Amino acid sequence: MRRSNSDNSQHSQLLDPDDPTITGVRKKCLDDYDDEKRTALRQMDYRRRRKEKQKIKIEFNVTSIIHRHNFLLKLAKALMTFGAPSHRIESQLLAAARILEVDAEFIHLPSVIICSFGDNDTMTSETHFIKSGGGLSLGSLHKVHIIYRAVVHDEVSARKATEQLDELLSAKPLYPWWFRCILSFWLSVLICPLAFGGSFIDMGIAGCGAFVLCFLQLRVAAKSAMYANVFEITTAMLVSFTARGLSSIRSQIFCYTAVSSSAIIGILPGYLILSSSLELASKNIVCGSVKMVYALIYTLFLGFGLQIGSDLYLLFDPTARHHLTTLAADISTSATIVGTFAADNSTSGNSSLSSGLGPVYGTFTFTNNTNVMQTDIIGGCYRPKHFGWYLQPFPFWTQFLIVPLFSILSSLANLQPWRSKQLPVMVVISCASYASNKVANHYIFNRSDIVSAIGAFTVGLLGNVYSRKMGGTAFTSMVTGVLFLVPSGLSQAGGITADGSGVDIGSAMIAVTIGITVGLFMSQALVYMFGSRKNAAVFSF
């Protein structure tokens, strides 16, 4: 099968900084040490060759091109398994293929990479389908990046790099399932007062819900394909049913919005929507649109489960439904009436009605300024002043403690090693992300997309500067700060419950992620505009 050369379309691709078409550097050690031994054996006489063959016991028909092919296949599988930025995978594989002098083409589809290796001598090609799924694993992803850079910089052979990738792919998760459930508990506990105005009591309920949810995800849904299909709906229903039941207690000490939003924060498809929007912005239409549609349907499932759980409890407790309807009517401080306004007393000479203009027709809005109940609603939760401290929102100064702690736990939940040099960098960038988001929200109201864009711009600026000046990995150092923007942006959009409509949840997440996408690309363009290498960031967003 004859392969067409696609070099003419290189100008339309996003090239990697290590691509030899940019650097002009070619790999010197294409053959590893064992292949060099074989070449030396061919130059020996018969007796020395036979003696050497008996000593090393190696076959001559295994060539180095096979090791290079295997490395590219393992690299593609590792990048997908550990959650690499999908809009960069093709450019990284192409750069590795060119530096290894392998004639290869790559096509990335959702969960699949098609690798085609060509042979110009025989005019044939060999096609491989690499299928893999997985989540975000920051520690393993950083190791993959180190191996990738060692190969393209001619520091290690392809065979040894393949063995290292095999060890990474076959290794067990960094943390056991029970420790990840504990991390999920504390993440929901911390995000409850931070983003959704929860009280001290709400924190515990939200944390318990997140613990149960993480257990079902890691131990039940991962082993049962049948339950995995309804995992999102059932867990959202369970959380919403419990939160609505607790919020219906007469003392009103629990907040439905804070508990339900914080408990499901661990299964929000924030990273999925972010990667899809990045792919669409990178003109990767097929992969980006498929992921975007899946993420929106996934979000609608969550919204549907939250609504069903709430309505299911109200079905069993009509008193709570009546109380909820009455409370909504009491909170409303204005009424709009369409009709005619006519003055009963026309003795005033200055009145426009007595001047022959007649009655006034139109829409009239009457506002009741005597209702003080709305002043007790803080962040969607009922917080009257006579409640104790454990039922009130947290003071401002607690954010200086909660935000760094949440950033550390979020990095660990994404399988970042505890003893790593990048963990403090992740925390600093994440804290800067939240601070810029908070300041922007103070001056820009009801625009979660613009606020998220400002926060993402800060993250991208710090991450890319760290990568260029200190030689770190931009992507892994920025992930925690970017994912922090998703719950923060949703809290500014009315919370995850979004007034009970799944469509509103989807639109709110789209607005937040589009803002994040714009901010990341703007920061990247700014950093690399003033650099010596005017091309895309390696291993970045």
Side-chain angles (χ1 to χ4, degrees):
M1 181 174 62
R2 187 178 182 87
R3 301 175 68 253
S4 59
N5 192 356
S6 62
D7 291 338
N8 295 330
S9 62
Q10 289 179 4
H11 65 278
S12 62
Q13 296 177 351
L14 191 61
L15 297 180
D16 194 275
D18 295 312
D19 198 304
T21 58
I22 297 176
T23 61
V25 178
R26 298 290 175 179
K27 190 172 178 63
K28 298 178 181 179
C29 299
L30 290 176
D31 297 334
D32 56 23
Y33 180 69
D34 293 336
D35 293 332
E36 293 178 358
K37 281 186 177 180
R38 299 187 203 110
T39 304
L41 283 172
R42 294 189 182 99
Q43 299 175 357
M44 297 179 183
D45 57 14
Y46 176 76
R47 292 184 178 180
R48 293 181 59 191
R49 185 188 307 164
R50 183 178 180 181
K51 184 177 180 180
E52 191 70 19
K53 283 175 62 177
Q54 292 176 353
K55 180 179 179 181
I56 63 176
K57 294 181 181 180
I58 189 170
E59 297 292 334
F60 284 100
N61 57 356
V62 180
T63 59
S64 64
I65 190 66
I66 297 179
H67 294 311
R68 285 178 265 166
H69 285 181
N70 290 335
F71 168 74
L72 292 173
L73 295 176
K74 289 295 181 182
L75 179 61
K77 187 176 182 64
L79 290 175
M80 285 197 300
T81 302
F82 300 132
S86 52
H87 64 293
R88 301 287 191 206
I89 290 180
E90 286 189 22
S91 63
Q92 288 173 342
L93 292 175
L94 285 173
R98 292 189 182 114
I99 202 73
L100 292 173
E101 297 184 2
V102 174
D103 184 14
E105 294 290 339
F106 303 94
I107 298 177
H108 179 223
L109 299 174
S111 302
V112 177
I113 291 182
I114 303 175
C115 307
S116 177
F117 301 111
D119 189 348
N120 293 328
D121 296 333
T122 60
M123 295 299 176
T124 59
S125 65
E126 181 182 356
T127 303
H128 298 264
F129 291 84
I130 307 299
K131 184 177 181 180
S132 176
L136 192 59
S137 180
L138 297 181
S140 300
L141 199 58
H142 181 63
K143 293 178 181 178
V144 171
H145 177 49
I146 293 176
I147 296 173
Y148 162 78
R149 294 194 63 180
V151 171
V152 299
H153 290 155
D154 205 12
E155 298 173 0
V156 68
S157 66
R159 181 182 61 83
K160 294 181 180 178
T162 305
E163 294 175 355
Q164 295 174 0
L165 291 177
D166 278 331
E167 293 178 359
L168 277 179
L169 291 170
S170 59
K172 294 181 179 180
L174 184 61
Y175 302 118
W177 65 268
W178 57 267
F179 184 72
R180 296 175 67 181
C181 290
I182 295 176
L183 288 176
S184 180
F185 172 86
W186 284 107
L187 284 175
S188 293
V189 164
L190 295 176
I191 203 64
C192 183
L194 189 64
F196 303 107
S199 64
F200 187 79
I201 295 182
D202 296 330
M203 293 168 57
I205 303 300
C208 292
F211 185 91
V212 174
L213 187 148
C214 186
F215 174 80
L216 293 176
Q217 184 181 24
L218 297 178
R219 303 296 295 175
V220 181
K223 297 181 179 180
S224 174
M226 183 175 296
Y227 178 70
N229 296 329
V230 294
F231 165 71
E232 296 83 11
I233 297 179
T234 54
T235 52
M237 287 177 58
L238 178 63
V239 168
S240 182
F241 184 88
T242 305
R244 181 59 72 188
L246 293 175
S247 64
S248 300
I249 299 176
R250 288 183 177 273
S251 57
Q252 299 180 351
I253 60 175
F254 295 100
C255 178
Y256 170 76
T257 303
V259 173
S260 60
S261 299
S262 304
I264 67 170
I265 199 70
I267 60 174
L268 281 178
Y271 181 72
L272 184 61
I273 293 185
L274 175 62
S275 62
S276 63
S277 61
L278 287 169
E279 287 181 351
L280 290 174
S282 301
K283 306 300 185 294
N284 192 350
I285 306 298
V286 176
C287 196
S289 58
V290 170
K291 287 186 177 181
M292 178 65 78
V293 172
Y294 169 74
L296 291 181
I297 298 299
Y298 182 93
T299 307
L300 292 178
F301 280 150
L302 290 180
F304 180 76
L306 290 174
Q307 189 65 34
I308 289 296
S310 176
D311 291 344
L312 186 62
Y313 178 82
L314 296 178
L315 182 64
F316 291 110
D317 191 357
T319 305
R321 180 183 294 273
H322 176 72
H323 176 73
L324 191 64
T325 305
T326 305
L327 181 63
D330 292 341
I331 292 178
S332 179
T333 59
S334 62
T336 301
I337 301 175
V338 179
T340 304
F341 180 81
D344 294 333
N345 185 6
S346 59
T347 57
S348 175
N350 296 328
S351 175
S352 61
L353 295 176
S354 63
S355 303
L357 297 179
V360 179
Y361 302 92
T363 302
F364 308 95
T365 301
F366 301 93
T367 302
N368 181 15
N369 294 323
T370 62
N371 190 0
V372 296
M373 181 175 292
Q374 192 172 8
T375 60
D376 296 331
I377 305 297
I378 302 176
C381 301
Y382 181 60
R383 308 294 187 200
K385 296 181 180 179
H386 62 82
F387 276 2
W389 63 269
Y390 53 90
L391 298 176
Q392 296 291 346
F394 278 38
F396 176 78
W397 60 268
T398 57
Q399 298 180 10
F400 293 95
L401 301 176
I402 296 178
V403 172
L405 186 58
F406 180 86
S407 302
I408 295 175
L409 296 180
S410 179
S411 300
L412 297 180
N414 290 320
L415 302 182
Q416 173 68 21
W418 171 256
R419 296 181 178 179
S420 62
K421 296 180 180 179
Q422 282 207 330
L423 185 59
V425 179
M426 293 179 181
V427 175
V428 171
I429 293 178
S430 179
C431 293
S433 165
Y434 181 81
S436 60
N437 188 283
K438 199 74 174 177
V439 172
N441 187 70
H442 182 72
Y443 295 100
I444 304 174
F445 302 100
N446 298 325
R447 291 303 302 268
S448 59
D449 50 352
I450 298 179
V451 172
S452 299
I454 296 175
F457 181 82
T458 304
V459 173
L461 194 65
L462 295 177
N464 286 295
V465 168
Y466 166 71
S467 176
R468 286 184 67 92
K469 299 301 182 183
M470 301 182 183
T473 305
F475 174 76
T476 54
S477 62
M478 292 159 56
V479 166
T480 303
V482 169
L483 294 183
F484 204 167
L485 295 173
V486 177
S488 300
L490 288 178
S491 65
Q492 307 303 330
I496 298 175
T497 55
D499 299 328
S501 175
V503 178
D504 292 339
I505 302 175
S507 61
M509 292 198 71
I510 289 178
V512 171
T513 51
I514 286 178
I516 294 175
T517 302
V518 173
L520 289 175
F521 281 148
M522 291 287 290
S523 64
Q524 189 179 106
L526 179 64
V527 171
Y528 284 86
M529 185 184 301
F530 298 100
S532 59
R533 294 160 62 182
K534 307 293 191 299
N535 46 31
V538 56
F539 225 68
S540 179
F541 278 105

